Amino acid sequence: MRILVTGGAGFIGSNFIRYVLSAHENWYVVNLDKLTYAGNLENLSDIAPDPRYTFVHGDIADKTLITQLLSANTFDAIANFAAESHVDRSIHDATPFIETNIQGTHVLLDAARAHGVKRFLQVSTDEVYGTLGSDEPPFTEHAPLAPNSPYAASKAAADLLARTYYHTFGLPVLITRCSNNYGPYQFPEKLIPLMITNALEGRPFPVYGDGLNIRDWIHVLDHCRALEAVLLGGVPGEVYNIGGSCELTNLEVVRSILQTLDLPESLITFVPDRPGHDRRYAIDASKIKAALGWKPQYRFQEWLPEVVRWYKEHREWWQRVKAGSYRQYYARQYEQRLNRNDFKRDVI
Ligand code: NAD
Ligand code: DAU
């Protein structure tokens, strides 16, 4: 399998690349990433020397680059992780969300169609379904799309655009909608890594509103295993929900982190709520379980302490990220390696 992964320097993409290269000897990955604030080559520094891995610095919305890349290579699959991914940032400014999540996905879909790519995996999100009431059943793939934030709307637009490329042009599109991920290398703007790193710095835990919003947590490696299953066995044109069946309020999550680190609840600070804050997400993942035999393996109560340990042991990683210095640090390394031709530019 020769696969183009976009957004592979981010949280889920980097975990996915590490996972598939260790699980499949004969998989080759080209990672195309714009290296926005969320893209960090350090996430893949252990993988960089692997001859089956190539990094290309670029934007999925850059039509010329994408055409060049797909003309120079035959990809069996494209897995599109590249996105602006943080809801709060989309409330502040939706522009990059429209450019990357919608326009970028459009460029990739057109190029995949023109070059006859055999599998196009669109990594979508459960946020496209909007919010659930406390008594409602979890979202199935048939739930209507009702996004409530600019981020969710941009992902819903990309998801629907991908669907049309299957129905109108016969592009073998696969769409996945996953719930909230946690795990190593998550950017510390998201709830769990923000709270863990704040705890390790002795800073308060800013909980939005009353802290009773519910998210359905899944370990990132369970998400990666599900994406692998969909790439290998999914039926084109189908949507697959992915979730950990682990609904927790934000306060429950935050209290588990405090308990793991033996810290007092007085660190919790209630702050003004996120505008338009979705109350509850929950995913019904029965379809992927029945159709592809996938099920989650990592239980939150067992694995949250492992993830806390990872952040304790990778203090330099998140300190560089929080300080913003990872960008200069890796930009320098990138230039040096480019000069030594480590990045195998022959793919474009
Ligand atoms: P992330 O923000 O950690 O990483 C995004 C990556 O995309 C970064 O490396 C960034 O540099 C890259 N990128 C951004 N714009 C780009 C562009 N125009 N061209 C090329 N690369 C670009 O995000 P994540 O949490 O790893 O999420 C990955 C995907 O999974 C996203 O599509 C997101 O919507 C989806 N998703 C995330 C979650 C979650 O809980 N984090 C859950 C379900 C789905
Ligand atoms: O559901 C999948 C989605 O999960 C993905 O599509 C998104 O890319 C990902 O960012 C995530 O979105 P959320 O908005 O659910 O994640 P976030 O970590 O930002 O927030 C989780 C919950 O915690 C949410 O109810 C808001 C709350 N929160 C978040 C932060 C950053 C706080 O209370 N305090 C905070 O400081």
Side-chain angles (χ1 to χ4, degrees):
M1 171 88 90
R2 195 167 160 80
I3 173 169
L4 173 63
V5 171
T6 68
F11 164 49
I12 304 174
S14 62
N15 276 285
F16 178 77
I17 292 172
R18 180 174 296 99
Y19 170 71
V20 296
L21 287 180
S22 75
H24 304 276
E25 253 177 51
N26 57 349
W27 282 33
Y28 295 80
V29 173
V30 173
N31 172 17
L32 172 73
D33 198 295
K34 186 178 178 181
L35 298 181
T36 66
Y37 80 93
N40 185 352
L41 287 177
E42 188 174 358
N43 297 358
L44 286 166
S45 52
D46 54 330
I47 298 298
D50 190 321
R52 298 171 300 153
Y53 170 78
T54 306
F55 173 71
V56 176
H57 187 198
D59 186 337
I60 57 165
D62 179 345
K63 217 173 179 169
T64 311
L65 171 73
I66 300 297
T67 305
Q68 227 178 330
L69 192 58
L70 267 72
S71 305
N73 299 271
T74 304
F75 291 110
D76 300 303
I78 295 179
N80 183 26
F81 294 80
E84 287 293 332
S85 69
H86 193 43
V87 173
D88 293 328
R89 287 180 189 259
S90 79
I91 295 166
H92 178 67
D93 178 11
T95 314
F97 290 76
I98 309 302
E99 289 167 356
T100 288
N101 301 3
I102 306 178
Q103 292 169 2
T105 302
H106 177 223
V107 168
L108 280 180
L109 286 164
D110 267 346
R113 182 183 159 220
H115 291 88
V117 172
K118 293 188 221 76
R119 312 283 271 180
F120 188 103
L121 174 63
Q122 175 63 14
V123 182
S124 190
T125 168
D126 65 353
E127 295 208 16
V128 298
Y129 296 122
T131 191
L132 273 177
S134 53
D135 297 332
E136 289 182 274
F139 295 118
T140 68
E141 291 81 358
H142 299 295
L145 302 200
N148 289 319
S149 70
Y151 161 69
S154 67
K155 291 294 294 185
D159 179 317
L160 292 177
L161 201 56
R163 172 190 152 90
T164 67
Y165 272 63
Y166 170 75
H167 285 277
T168 308
F169 305 117
L171 183 70
V173 166
L174 303 147
I175 296 169
T176 57
R177 299 180 183 146
C178 188
S179 62
N180 285 64
N181 286 219
Y182 69 99
Y185 299 107
Q186 187 166 28
F187 197 90
E189 63 185 350
K190 307 282 168 36
L191 179 73
I192 289 183
L194 177 72
M195 298 302 175
I196 298 173
T197 56
N198 274 12
L200 296 174
E201 291 176 313
R203 293 167 63 177
F205 284 31
V207 171
Y208 297 164
D210 61 7
L212 298 179
N213 301 67
I214 292 172
R215 296 293 181 267
D216 179 353
W217 293 96
I218 182 170
H219 193 282
V220 64
L221 289 179
D222 275 331
H223 186 188
C224 293
R225 292 174 46 250
L227 295 174
E228 172 197 35
V230 171
L231 261 179
L232 290 172
V235 176
E238 293 289 317
V239 175
Y240 296 90
N241 278 354
I242 303 167
S245 301
C246 175
E247 287 186 57
L248 295 170
T249 65
N250 294 337
L251 272 178
E252 286 171 320
V253 169
V254 160
R255 287 196 177 112
S256 299
I257 295 170
L258 287 170
Q259 268 167 20
T260 307
L261 288 165
D262 209 11
L263 288 169
E265 290 214 359
S266 56
L267 277 175
I268 296 175
T269 310
F270 290 96
V271 299
D273 209 351
R274 169 186 281 173
H277 196 174
D278 283 339
R279 194 63 173 168
R280 175 176 167 235
Y281 302 146
I283 274 290
D284 179 338
S286 7
K287 176 174 171 180
I288 186 173
K289 288 178 184 168
L292 303 177
W294 170 88
K295 61 176 186 213
Q297 287 180 349
Y298 297 82
R299 285 189 52 248
F300 186 84
Q301 298 308 346
E302 265 169 56
W303 282 88
L304 180 71
E306 292 301 316
V307 170
V308 170
R309 194 158 54 162
W310 187 90
Y311 283 89
K312 271 171 110 172
E313 288 170 359
H314 292 77
R315 190 176 271 272
E316 283 189 3
W317 177 85
W318 58 260
Q319 280 180 336
R320 268 201 286 273
V321 171
K322 275 191 152 176
S325 53
Y326 69 104
R327 301 202 71 187
Q328 295 111 37
Y329 179 78
Y330 272 89
R332 263 201 316 278
Q333 298 236 327
Y334 178 77
E335 284 308 321
Q336 283 164 7
R337 298 181 60 190
L338 199 58
N339 292 340
R340 295 202 311 263
N341 209 14
D342 278 5
F343 283 136
K344 312 170 203 92
R345 302 289 288 185
D346 53 324
V347 292
I348 50 172

